[in-house]
Structures are given as C-alpha cells and as structure tokens.
C-alpha cells in the first residue's frame, strides 16, 4: 500500500523544450510512435541545442514507458552535450531528468546529486519555476529516505514559489506531495484535505495523470482509516486512467494497492491476481521501490491466508530489497551532500555580500573623493578671489 509522489516537468517547457515533438507526444497514443518521430528529428538536427532538446524529449518518453536504461542513456547524452557547449539551461534540464531516473531506480545518492546541480543552475539563471521543481524533486528523495520533516520543508518551499508564479499544476503537485507527508505522519484528515485540493485543480486543467495520482492517494488515506470500499473505488479509478495512459509504473502501483484493498476485505483470490500483476510489471520496468511494495503485500496476503512459509519467503525478499534501498551509507552520503550544498550556498551568499559591501564602500570612497575635490576646489577659488581682491585694493591705493 503506497501513495504516489508527483514529479513536475514544467521546466522542460519553461527552459524552452522541443515544442513540436511535445505536441506530438501528447497526440500519439502509442509512445513508440513518438519515440520514432524523435529519432527522426535527431537524425536531421544540425544545431547542438536542438540535439539536446531532442535527446531530453527521448529520455522523457522512455521514462513514461518505464524503460529507465534507455532513458538514462539519452539523458546522459543530453547532459554531456550541454556541458560540452556550456549551455546552462540545457544542463539544468538534463540534470533534472537524470535525477528523476536515478530516483526511480532507487539510487537516491545519484538522484540528489543531479537535482542539486540542477538547483544550483536554476538559482544562478534566476528560473524560479525550475528552483521550485528542484525543491519538489529533492523532497521526493527525502520522503523515500523517510526523512519526512526535510521532505515537508522542501515541498512547502516549492508550493510557495508555485503560488507566486500562479502555476496551477505545480500547486496541485505540491498539495499531493504534502498530503503524502501528512499520511506518513498519521494525519489522514489533513492529508485528505490536501489531496482533494489537488484533485480539483487537476480536473480543472484536464491533467489525467494528475487525476489518477490523486485518486490513488485518496484511496490510500481511506485505506488507513479502514474504509476499504471507498479506498478500493478510488484505486480502481486510478488504475483505469493509468491503463488508458499506458503508464506502467502507475499501473504497478495501482495494482498493488488494489491487491492490498482486496486482502483487507478477505478477497484473497482477487488480491493475488492484482499483486502478481504488480510484481511482474515492477520487475519489467526495473522499479526496485515497486518490487519492494509488491513483496511486502504478497507477504501480508499469505499471512492472512495462514500460509506462513510463503509469507516468510516474500517478507525475506522484501527485507533484502529494502536494505539495498535504505542502507545507512546511502543515507549518510545524502545528508553530507545536502550539507555540502547548503555550506557552498552560504559561502556564495557571503561572497556576494562581501562583493556588494566592497562595491558600496568603493562608491562611498568615490563620493568622498568627489566631495573633497569639490571642497578643495572651492577653497582654492576663494583664496584666489581673496588674493585678486587684495591686489585690486593695493592698486587702487597706489593710484590715488
């Protein structure tokens, strides 16, 4: 049983994404056709910036089909090319996308490293939307590491920026992710409040993926409140939309949650049907986090059935993969990485403040110099006038 976090990819548009192919991606039902059109565009591309845009779009499409190896392949190509030509906007997009991929693979250390790089560039070029997206993505990583206070802090930072920008999709995504934290902190009523606010926005904007995500999260809240029928209805709604969208990762998650709901209701055959589908899909797309959830759900199912041998086997599978995702070294490295970023940011701020103060002092010194020159010049003029006046008086006396 799990919520669904929401990434935000508006930075692809905000930083000048490949508009033509973005439109094609929305129109084509078969993602393979979109990928083919992007490969065709890549072959004819002559400018490096167009190549980078196309590579990033390819990476994004492979993420949608949960083919993370291919997604990372083209994401890294975009990253390398953007670094080669030193195009900061494209570098930020590439880092952001690669961070998403690493997060989906459960490699949180590398994911955070990429998002921190993206954040630094977003701050440098003054892209507020990109900064908010980076905060959101980093919050997702801390959420996965069970560091809920840090995740909530980052989500709230992102929300504040989205609200200032009037970014409805960003606001809705932030509401969803904040709701997940409240759920994790066992505050289901506040979580549900956030989800319902997100759902209203997604329905208004016609964001089907967002609607499916929110139905899933609402189902999760009802499940925690032991309202299994309401929970199941929302999970089924989410699964139906995800199937139409062809979102295999969302399908894996939804099937797992549907299986959990059926287990709670004692409908073990239906539960097994959905949980096995979830496990198969999770293995196909290589999502360790979803595989982990499928294992623990199957363990709970067999425990309910009284088959303790099978329950133990699946719980062992779950423990092994959980340990690989949440090892102490990874958590320590992530904390150190964030501390390093914060320290470097403070150093940059201090350096900027020092430079500002130096410039201000230079200006003060300049003004003092101008004032002194003016006063000095005035005194010289007065002295000269006095001397001339005296000479004039002497001449007058001599003439008389």
């Amino acid at each position: 049983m799990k919520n669904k976090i929401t990434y935000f990819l508006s930075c692809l548009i905000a930083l000048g994404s490949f508009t033509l192919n973005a439109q094609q991606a929305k129109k084509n039902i078969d993602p393979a056709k979109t990928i083919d059109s992007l490969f065709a565009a890549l072959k004819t591309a002559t400018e490096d910036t167009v190549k980078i845009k196309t590579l990033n779009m390819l990476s994004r499409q492979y993420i949608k089909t949960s083919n993370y190896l291919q997604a990372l392949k083209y994401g890294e190509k975009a990253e390398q090319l953007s670094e080669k030509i030193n195009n900061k906007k494209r570098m930020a997009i590439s880092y952001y996308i690669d961070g998403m991929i690493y997060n989906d693979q459960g490699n949180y250390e590398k994911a955070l490293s990429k998002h921190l790089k993206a954040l630094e560039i977003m701050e440098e070029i003054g892209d507020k939307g990109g900064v908010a997206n980076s905060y959101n993505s980093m919050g997702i990583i801390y959420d996965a590491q069970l560091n809920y206070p840090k995740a909530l802090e980052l989500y709230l930072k992102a929300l504040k920026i989205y609200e200032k920008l009037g970014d409805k999709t960003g606001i809705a995504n932030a509401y969803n992710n904040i709701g997940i934290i409240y759920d994790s902190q066992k505050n289901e009523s506040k979580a549900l409040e956030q989800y319902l606010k997100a759902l209203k926005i997604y329905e208004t904007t016609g964001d089907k993926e967002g609607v499916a995500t929110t139905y899933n999260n609402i189902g999760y809240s009802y499940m925690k409140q032991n309202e299994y029928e309401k929970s199941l209805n929302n999970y089924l709604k989410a699964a139906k939309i995800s199937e139409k969208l062809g979102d295999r990762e969302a399908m894996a998650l939804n099937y797992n949650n549907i299986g959990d709901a059926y287990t709670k209701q004692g409908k073990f055959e239906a539960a097994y049907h959905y949980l096995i589908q979830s496990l198969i899909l999770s293995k196909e797309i290589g999502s360790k986090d979803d595989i982990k959830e499928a294992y623990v759900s199957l363990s709970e199912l067999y425990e309910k059935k009284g088959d303790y041998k099978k329950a133990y086997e699946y719980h062992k599978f779950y423990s092994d993969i959980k340990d690989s995702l949440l090892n102490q070294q990874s958590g320590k490295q992530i904390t150190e990485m964030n501390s390093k970023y914060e320290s470097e940011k403070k150093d940059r701020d201090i350096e900027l403040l020092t430079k500002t103060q130096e410039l201000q002092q230079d200006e003060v010194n300049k003004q003092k110099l101008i004032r002194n020159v003016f006063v000095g010049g005035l005194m010289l003029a007065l002295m000269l006038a006095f001397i001339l006046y005296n000479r004039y008086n002497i001449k007058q006396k001599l003439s008389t």
Side-chain angles (χ1 to χ4, degrees):
M1 179 173 61
K2 191 170 180 260
N3 304 74
K4 191 171 191 303
I5 55 180
T6 49
Y7 265 105
F8 193 50
L9 290 173
S10 69
C11 66
L12 297 179
I13 298 169
L15 295 178
S17 71
F18 197 15
T19 307
L20 175 62
N21 285 315
Q23 291 171 349
Q24 290 174 343
K26 288 179 181 178
K27 289 179 181 178
N28 290 330
I29 296 173
D30 184 1
K33 290 182 181 178
T34 304
I35 289 170
D36 288 342
S37 71
L38 288 168
F39 274 124
L42 187 60
K43 285 180 182 178
T44 59
T46 54
E47 295 181 10
D48 286 336
T49 52
V50 176
K51 288 178 183 178
I52 295 166
K53 293 176 192 177
T54 313
L55 287 166
N56 275 327
M57 289 298 294
L58 267 171
S59 182
R60 176 67 183 118
Q61 284 302 307
Y62 278 120
I63 291 173
K64 283 185 174 181
T65 60
S66 302
N67 189 337
Y68 299 123
L69 289 176
Q70 289 295 95
L72 191 58
K73 175 183 175 181
Y74 292 104
E76 287 180 339
K77 283 185 177 182
E79 185 179 311
Q80 289 163 7
L81 185 54
S82 63
E83 288 174 340
K84 182 181 177 182
I85 66 172
N86 196 31
N87 188 316
K88 292 190 175 181
K89 288 184 177 182
R90 306 301 159 196
M91 284 162 62
I93 295 173
S94 302
Y95 292 145
Y96 185 90
I97 293 174
D98 287 349
M100 287 177 57
I101 298 164
Y102 281 124
N103 183 67
D104 286 337
Q105 290 180 320
N107 192 335
Y108 304 128
E109 181 190 343
K110 281 191 175 181
L112 186 62
S113 173
K114 295 295 182 183
H115 285 307
L116 285 171
K117 284 184 177 182
L119 175 61
E120 187 172 353
I121 294 174
M122 299 295 189
E123 290 177 329
E124 184 182 343
I125 64 178
D127 189 310
K128 293 181 181 178
V131 169
N133 297 340
S134 296
Y135 282 147
N136 182 70
S137 302
M138 290 162 61
I140 290 168
I141 295 168
Y142 282 105
D143 186 358
Q145 292 285 298
L146 310 183
N147 188 341
Y148 302 131
K150 184 66 177 177
L152 183 58
E153 175 193 330
L154 289 163
Y155 291 151
L156 289 170
K157 279 186 177 181
L159 177 60
K160 190 175 181 180
I161 297 173
Y162 290 140
E163 287 175 337
K164 284 183 179 179
L165 295 174
D167 189 331
K168 290 184 179 179
T169 303
I171 293 168
N173 286 348
Y175 282 151
N176 251 332
N177 290 347
I178 291 167
I180 290 170
I181 299 300
Y182 286 137
D183 259 331
S184 301
Q185 295 175 331
K186 304 186 186 303
N187 193 337
E188 290 82 12
S189 60
K190 285 190 78 171
L192 194 56
E193 181 184 325
Q194 297 293 314
Y195 298 146
L196 291 173
K197 287 197 288 188
L199 182 61
K200 187 176 180 180
I201 295 174
Y202 287 134
E203 289 176 336
T204 303
T205 59
D207 186 340
K208 292 182 180 179
E209 187 177 354
V211 170
T213 294
T214 312
Y215 276 140
N216 178 81
N217 291 343
I218 290 170
Y220 180 84
S221 268
Y222 281 128
M223 175 72 80
K224 291 184 75 180
Q225 296 175 64
N226 299 325
E227 301 220 28
Y228 303 132
E229 197 59 40
K230 284 183 180 179
S231 175
L232 183 60
N233 287 338
N234 280 282
Y235 285 151
L236 289 169
K237 284 180 184 178
K240 189 175 180 180
I241 297 171
S242 298
E243 287 166 353
K244 285 183 179 178
L245 293 173
D247 188 338
R248 294 198 299 161
E249 185 180 10
M251 286 161 60
L253 175 65
N254 293 328
Y255 290 160
N256 186 83
N257 288 344
I258 291 168
D260 280 337
Y262 278 128
T263 297
K264 296 288 186 184
Q265 292 178 322
K267 299 176 181 177
F268 300 137
E269 189 175 338
Y272 179 79
H273 170 74
Y274 279 101
L275 292 177
I276 285 297
Q277 282 191 73
S278 175
L279 181 59
I280 291 169
L281 268 175
S282 300
K283 287 184 175 180
E284 283 178 0
I285 64 180
S287 175
K288 291 181 180 179
D289 202 37
D290 290 323
I291 293 169
K292 178 192 72 173
E293 294 299 323
Y295 281 150
V296 74
S297 294
L298 282 162
S299 176
E300 289 170 2
L301 169 63
Y302 280 111
E303 185 181 358
K304 287 268 186 181
K305 289 177 70 176
D307 189 338
Y308 300 111
K309 182 182 177 183
K310 281 278 187 183
Y312 173 76
E313 286 176 4
Y314 277 111
H315 196 274
K316 183 67 169 62
F317 292 148
Y318 160 74
S319 296
D320 290 344
I321 198 166
K322 181 184 176 184
D323 290 343
S324 72
L325 286 170
L326 284 172
N327 64 77
Q328 289 182 351
Q329 184 63 24
S330 176
K332 183 182 176 183
Q333 287 171 330
I334 284 174
T335 302
E336 287 174 352
M337 200 180 304
N338 186 68
S339 298
K340 184 181 177 183
Y341 166 76
E342 293 292 345
S343 176
E344 287 176 353
K345 188 174 184 296
K346 284 178 183 177
D347 289 342
R348 288 197 304 271
D349 290 341
I350 291 168
E351 185 181 349
L352 180 62
L353 180 61
T354 303
K355 284 181 179 177
T356 303
Q357 288 173 339
E358 286 174 356
L359 288 171
Q360 288 173 343
Q361 188 60 47
D362 287 343
E363 183 63 25
V364 169
N365 292 338
K366 183 180 176 183
Q367 292 300 324
K368 281 182 179 178
L369 180 62
I370 292 169
R371 184 193 64 193
N372 291 340
V373 168
F374 175 76
V375 171
L378 183 61
M379 288 178 69
L380 283 172
L382 289 170
M383 286 174 66
L384 181 61
F386 179 74
I387 292 168
L388 291 173
Y389 178 73
N390 268 351
R391 284 183 180 180
Y392 173 76
N393 283 337
I394 293 168
K395 282 182 180 180
Q396 285 293 98
K397 286 177 181 179
L398 289 172
S399 62
T400 57

